[in-house]
Amino acid sequence: MTSSTRADWLVPTALVALALIPMAGGAIRLTDLAGGEVTAENARFFAAPAPVVLHIFSAVLYCLGGAFQFSAGFRRRKPATHRVLGRVLVPAGVLMGLTGLWMTLFYPYPEGDGDLLAAFRLVTGSGTVLALVLGFHAIRRRDVRRHRAWMVRAYALAQGAGTQALVTIAWVLLVGPATGMTRTLLLGLGWVINIAVAEWVVREPGRGRRTFYRARRAERTA
């Protein structure tokens, strides 16, 4: 494997790693629903399990599959696979966003949550769905630049749980327990970080030129 190829897979690998903590949480939730006891903390999921189950499966599919769409080499070498994967991931991402909105609107608040966190979730869930729709609409018009920009934004919002886990773990280790408003603001910070990174990726000047030169070097050394 050349250095260019390794660099090409660095971002997808990091994104898959970022999704592991929320995936573990989702697996625990599904195991709980399959045979666990009903408690005050999980009663809302037992009362209406379909939205949370669909949300977990669609989020895992979207976050894992979406990571590979960030490999420029993959898109260049496998354009047909990139398109087929996109046709699977866009519906998965929309389903993830809509089920997240449903859970925010209709599940009772768990202990520690409040209106501000619900507002964060409504904004980011709606933003994810809107970005996916705009990205899909852009590629239907063969506007690759806007398609890429909206897909990057949608994926950044969808990966909020991974960044939130890292931010919260860092706070707990360095400062102390994260509860109440502190927890709400840390979760909001996770989304803000992801949005900032997405905008940097979309707007960073010279990226397209460097990607082109890396691709040329990879072709010469292959």
Side-chain angles (χ1 to χ4, degrees), residues 44-45 48-59 91-110 113 117-129 157-158 191:
R44 63 192 187 282
F45 300 125
V52 67
V53 171
L54 290 173
H55 183 75
I56 291 170
F57 278 111
S58 58
V94 170
L95 180 61
M96 175 195 66
L98 292 178
T99 50
L101 291 172
W102 192 97
M103 291 190 294
T104 301
L105 290 171
F106 297 109
Y107 278 155
Y109 288 170
D113 284 13
L117 183 54
F120 287 166
R121 287 173 172 152
L122 291 175
V123 169
T124 54
S126 302
T128 302
V129 173
L157 290 171
W191 279 306

Side-chain angles (χ1 to χ4, degrees), residues 19-31 60:
L20 290 180
I21 295 178
M23 283 174 56
I28 292 171
R29 180 66 66 198
L30 292 175
T31 303
V60 169

